[in-house]
Amino acid sequence: MARQERAIRTRRTILEAAAAVFDERGYTSATIGEILQRAGVTKGALYFHFGSKEELALGVFEEQLAISLPPQASKLQELVDSGLVLARRLREEPLVRASVGLALDQGALGLDRTPAFRMWIDQTTRTLSEAKAQGELLPHVKVTETAELLVASFSGVQLLSQLRCQREDLERRVVVLFDHFLPSVAVPAVLARLDISAERAGRVLAESGERLESVAG
């Protein structure tokens, strides 16, 4: 068990170092040597977890969605929660910032950036499909097209926020996005019950932390 915990910590250390180097220098300019130096691990330890720089980037991509949020009766509320929490994590977590930065880095030569968007779109499609099964979506809604549109819109909103103020207003901008987006897809009675506020992310993360402590206890 102790060896497994050390391996998990080492993997996390390598990912955090890679994220920092990717964020500072970009994918193409980043080197394995720089990542090793930043992480303070051996080349063998790195290659035990990741076979290449591209595998490191894929690991960083996965961190964007690597969080379990409290389930809600409304699947659309879960969709809102995931968007608001991602906005908060983009402001506070370097790994998540690096994930989004890599996905949008058009100069990332040799890096297939489609997995980052595919994972995000697939997760959003699943949530929307569950919402439709529960009768939360209007009849005309096509879940895959809607998921792609939401992911693309969020990507643009966060990029604008980054350029304008280093994402300081991102949660407010995501609230505005949902305020405009959801009325076109949600059943009015469901829409009226959704909590779409900039403060929602903090409450959800606090509840998530409490649930983890309860399970651990």
Side-chain angles (χ1 to χ4, degrees):
M1 181 63 72
R3 181 178 298 178
Q4 183 180 8
E5 291 175 355
R6 283 198 301 271
I8 291 171
R9 288 198 298 270
T10 299
R11 185 180 188 277
R12 181 73 181 188
T13 297
I14 294 167
L15 277 178
E16 289 176 349
V21 175
F22 290 151
D23 197 33
E24 293 167 11
R25 295 180 52 76
Y27 176 80
T28 302
S29 298
T31 68
I32 292 292
E34 288 174 301
I35 294 168
L36 287 172
Q37 184 177 17
R38 186 72 62 96
V41 301
T42 65
K43 185 178 293 187
L46 186 148
Y47 282 114
F48 175 80
H49 293 282
F50 304 99
S52 64
K53 188 167 76 168
E54 187 168 6
E55 283 189 19
L56 267 171
L58 183 60
V60 173
F61 285 153
E62 291 171 346
E63 285 300 313
Q64 181 177 322
L65 304 175
I67 186 169
S68 178
L69 299 180
Q72 306 293 331
S74 166
K75 292 300 174 180
L76 282 183
Q77 185 65 66
E78 290 185 5
L79 184 72
V80 169
D81 291 350
S82 66
L84 291 171
V85 167
L86 178 55
R88 171 70 66 89
R89 296 178 73 212
L90 271 166
R91 287 199 299 108
E92 297 180 349
E93 298 182 26
L95 255 174
V96 179
R97 285 199 299 274
S99 174
V100 172
L102 280 173
L104 297 175
D105 183 3
Q106 297 185 35
L109 303 177
L111 175 64
D112 181 7
R113 294 175 291 135
T114 58
F117 287 102
R118 185 168 61 246
M119 288 185 286
W120 192 1
I121 290 169
D122 287 349
Q123 184 188 69
T124 305
T125 299
R126 285 193 296 272
T127 304
L128 286 170
S129 295
E130 293 170 354
K132 189 163 191 174
Q134 290 187 177
E136 297 183 47
L137 300 185
L138 296 170
H140 71 273
V141 175
K142 298 178 180 179
V143 294
T144 301
E145 292 180 359
T146 303
E148 291 175 348
L149 178 60
L150 181 57
V151 168
S153 300
F154 189 104
S155 298
V157 164
Q158 73 82 28
L159 180 58
L160 178 61
S161 180
Q162 178 192 7
L163 294 173
R164 293 288 296 273
C165 60
Q166 293 299 305
R167 299 192 180 96
E168 289 182 5
D169 65 352
L170 182 53
E171 283 148 290
R172 181 186 64 79
R173 288 184 182 274
V174 171
V175 168
V176 173
L177 170 62
F178 280 128
D179 281 342
H180 284 75
F181 181 85
L182 287 171
S184 67
V185 301
V187 170
V190 175
L191 180 65
R193 295 194 297 269
L194 296 179
D195 181 356
I196 310 171
S197 63
E199 297 76 27
R200 173 75 182 177
R203 294 195 296 270
V204 170
L205 286 170
E207 183 182 348
S208 180
E210 291 169 1
R211 288 174 67 246
L212 287 174
E213 289 179 5
S214 175
V215 171

